[in-house]
């Protein structure tokens, strides 16, 4: 896994954790048709490239549109790039 893939996975995981809020990982995983371990791997960035349909299922359960998810991911990527340029 490249550093960029790891960073991208961590950003996606952070977005999903924020959207999950106070709901349990087990609850969201079950509603999405995933195992809690799979969701844990996605949220921690250890699964940096989950399948598209996995992300769609999670977004649906978390009441996120794919547009919201893409916009948030792009904003985080821009912020991370800006931090790297100033470091």
């Amino acid at each position: 896994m490249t550093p960029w893939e790891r960073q991208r996975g961590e950003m996606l995981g952070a977005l999903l954790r924020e959207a999950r809020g106070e709901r349990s990982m087990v609850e969201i995983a079950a509603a999405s048709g995933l195992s809690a371990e799979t969701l844990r791997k996605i949220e921690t960035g250890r699964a940096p490239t989950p399948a598209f349909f996995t992300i769609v299922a999670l977004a649906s359960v978390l009441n996120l549109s794919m547009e919201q998810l893409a916009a948030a991911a792009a904003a985080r990527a821009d912020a991370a790039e800006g931090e790297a340029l100033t470091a």
Side-chain angles (χ1 to χ4, degrees):
M1 180 175 355
T2 67
W4 167 240
E5 288 172 330
R6 182 177 308 275
Q7 182 181 28
R8 184 180 62 200
E10 289 170 356
M11 286 189 290
L12 174 63
L15 287 168
L16 295 174
R17 277 192 309 278
E18 287 173 17
R20 181 166 57 86
E22 296 297 318
R23 294 179 283 178
S24 77
M25 187 178 288
V26 172
E27 173 190 346
I28 299 303
S32 301
L34 304 172
S35 70
E37 181 58 25
T38 296
L39 181 54
R40 182 176 292 109
K41 286 179 181 177
I42 294 169
E43 284 192 356
T44 60
R46 292 188 336 226
T49 55
F52 176 76
F53 293 105
T54 298
I55 297 304
V56 170
L58 285 167
S60 176
V61 169
L62 296 169
N63 297 316
L64 294 170
S65 70
M66 293 305 289
E67 291 82 11
Q68 288 173 306
L69 196 56
R76 285 180 185 254
D78 289 345
E81 184 177 336
E83 288 175 11
L85 292 175
T86 60

